[in-house]
Amino acid sequence: MARAQTIFSELCVAVAIADTVEVRDIENVDTNSASIYENELIARKDSKQKAASINALSLSGKAVRKYLLDNGITPRRVIWTGSQSIGAMVAVAKDIEVANYRISVKENANVFINGSPITVFEDMPSGIFGQKRKGRDWFAQSAHNEFQNYYSVCRQYSSISNQHERVEDFYKNSKKEQKKLFGADVAKLHNSENEAVLRAYSEFCNKVSVASAQIFNENLAAFRSIHSSHNALQPIFHYFFRINGIKYILAGTENNKPFAVILHASSEWTREYQFLGITASPKFAGQPEVLLSFRFKKISTKEEFIFDLKVEIRWSHGKFCGNPEAKVYKTWSYTELPWSENLYLN
């Protein structure tokens, strides 16, 4: 079962498209889903922070309804398909269906991937999708010396007893609770602005960022040496930019504001645009980060443009706790994409 937030956002848009006040008017909405929607509606109305989200989602649905009406389609039958399961690496979910239109709903969804660094920096640039691997600790793999030095400095200043000199031994021989205690104490060292700890952490972050970008570029170059056509990179582009085999509508909220756009089918996109490539570069921030820059060209005008994705690499449960994860964020709005057709015009 999807989260209450997801069910609510999809059904809130569907209700606006159908121009009804009854969620049960939406096809495929069972008693349990209707109850989740209604409970979330009450909870949001009672929250000053979340109350505005109801109106924003409704406005995006109304923009979709207006588009359908302007194209001769009266949305009498609105079907909710969000309850159907899809593969983890499918680019586009079909949450709502009206006539021959499929509609995908996103509520402030800036995270594309919340997985392992191996998935982002090794598998995807190698053309491998739908495979989940954890492998070795990414920090030890990409910045072993800097990781060890950061651990040693933290161990030196920490008030938590720890007999393990090597970070590998600490991971191997420490219980979960011991790791949590050490990680919490390391966080205190950061908060107190311990210069030695902050310096070691900065060196560690920079090395992870540089090495991760290099690994991505090397894997991409190896893949391109075998598959020279730019079309070979289409799956990774399609995934991140939500391009699908058919035209569809993407609606919901971005930064708490309503949006609704049409994204054309991949065949139509290919006639108008050319995908030039991807480059990974280190981003020096307060944690390990990498920018993935996607380059495009509009065929008719030869105009080139770039859209970035940001990858944050961090521990899943605090410093020195859990395997590092890679979160991939979009840094742009769907309405900014040259190939999107904006339906919400306020």
Side-chain angles (χ1 to χ4, degrees):
M1 174 65 71
R3 294 184 307 153
Q5 175 187 334
T6 302
I7 292 173
F8 177 81
S9 61
E10 293 170 1
L11 292 181
C12 191
V13 171
V15 165
I17 293 172
D19 193 25
T20 181
V21 295
E22 291 293 334
V23 70
R24 289 171 176 80
D25 290 341
I26 309 303
E27 193 167 323
N28 286 344
V29 175
D30 57 21
T31 302
N32 185 49
S33 298
S35 178
I36 292 173
Y37 168 84
E38 288 160 356
N39 290 337
E40 180 72 8
L41 179 63
I42 293 170
R44 293 195 184 203
K45 284 182 176 178
D46 290 341
S47 169
K48 290 183 180 180
Q49 184 178 5
K50 294 183 177 180
S53 67
I54 303 170
N55 185 54
L57 288 166
S58 295
L59 286 173
S60 71
K62 289 177 181 178
V64 175
R65 177 179 175 82
K66 182 180 184 302
Y67 170 79
L68 294 173
L69 290 172
D70 288 346
N71 283 273
I73 299 171
T74 301
R76 296 187 180 91
R77 186 184 179 204
V78 179
I79 306 169
W80 179 50
T81 55
S83 57
Q84 301 172 2
S85 61
I86 60 170
M89 296 302 290
V90 173
V92 181
K94 183 178 69 171
D95 302 318
I96 303 167
E97 191 172 10
V98 181
N100 292 323
Y101 283 89
R102 58 185 290 177
I103 301 151
S104 179
V105 177
K106 300 292 178 186
E107 183 179 11
N108 299 329
N110 290 322
V111 179
F112 283 136
I113 290 181
N114 185 8
S116 74
I118 288 178
T119 296
V120 176
F121 298 112
E122 292 187 1
D123 289 348
M124 297 189 75
S126 301
I128 301 171
F129 289 82
Q131 178 175 303
K132 293 184 177 181
R133 293 192 296 139
K134 289 187 177 180
R136 291 185 62 214
D137 186 294
W138 187 258
F139 291 152
Q141 176 179 333
S142 61
H144 181 273
N145 292 341
E146 291 78 7
F147 186 33
Q148 175 62 50
N149 180 60
Y150 172 55
Y151 168 77
S152 297
V153 173
C154 290
R155 178 171 172 266
Q156 175 186 346
Y157 288 97
S158 175
S159 61
I160 304 299
S161 178
N162 177 4
Q163 74 271 27
H164 303 297
E165 295 185 0
R166 297 172 66 247
V167 67
E168 293 92 344
D169 295 334
F170 170 74
Y171 277 138
K172 183 178 179 180
N173 300 312
S174 298
K175 293 181 179 179
K176 185 178 181 180
E177 219 31 66
Q178 291 173 305
K179 294 176 183 176
K180 281 187 175 181
L181 287 173
F182 181 69
D185 200 55
V186 169
K188 291 180 181 178
L189 293 173
H190 278 257
N191 291 335
S192 66
E193 298 185 353
N194 183 296
E195 290 187 11
V197 169
L198 294 180
R199 183 166 56 251
Y201 182 66
S202 178
E203 292 171 355
F204 159 65
C205 289
N206 290 347
K207 177 62 177 179
V208 173
S209 300
V210 169
S212 298
Q214 182 178 355
I215 290 169
F216 183 98
N217 290 330
E218 288 174 351
N219 282 305
L220 185 65
F223 179 73
R224 291 297 305 277
S225 68
I226 301 172
H227 309 279
S228 57
S229 170
H230 286 292
N231 291 334
L233 295 176
Q234 292 283 23
I236 188 171
F237 158 64
H238 285 177
Y239 178 78
F240 286 122
F241 288 84
R242 303 302 194 225
I243 299 297
N244 199 30
I246 63 172
K247 182 171 83 169
Y248 75 103
I249 297 172
L250 185 61
T253 60
E254 290 186 304
N255 298 318
N256 299 313
K257 295 181 180 180
F259 84 99
V261 298
I262 292 178
L263 294 175
H264 294 279
S266 54
S267 57
E268 186 173 349
W269 188 94
T270 303
R271 287 196 295 269
E272 297 183 22
Y273 296 91
Q274 183 180 359
F275 180 37
L276 300 179
I278 318 167
T279 303
S281 58
K283 186 175 186 294
F284 302 115
Q287 64 184 347
E289 292 186 10
V290 171
L291 278 182
L292 302 180
S293 298
F294 290 71
R295 295 181 296 111
F296 308 93
K297 180 172 70 175
K298 188 168 185 177
I299 296 173
S300 61
T301 64
K302 309 299 182 184
E303 178 189 3
E304 295 189 12
F305 42 92
I306 296 175
F307 288 98
D308 293 333
L309 297 173
K310 181 179 69 171
V311 187
E312 296 181 357
I313 312 159
R314 58 194 184 201
W315 281 285
S316 54
H317 297 92
K319 290 179 170 59
F320 296 101
C321 294
N323 285 326
E325 61 184 9
K327 284 195 173 185
V328 183
Y329 295 83
K330 68 182 180 71
T331 62
W332 34 265
S333 167
Y334 287 108
T335 57
E336 295 171 353
L337 299 176
W339 54 83
S340 70
E341 182 181 343
N342 189 6
L343 303 183
Y344 179 76
L345 303 172
N346 56 349

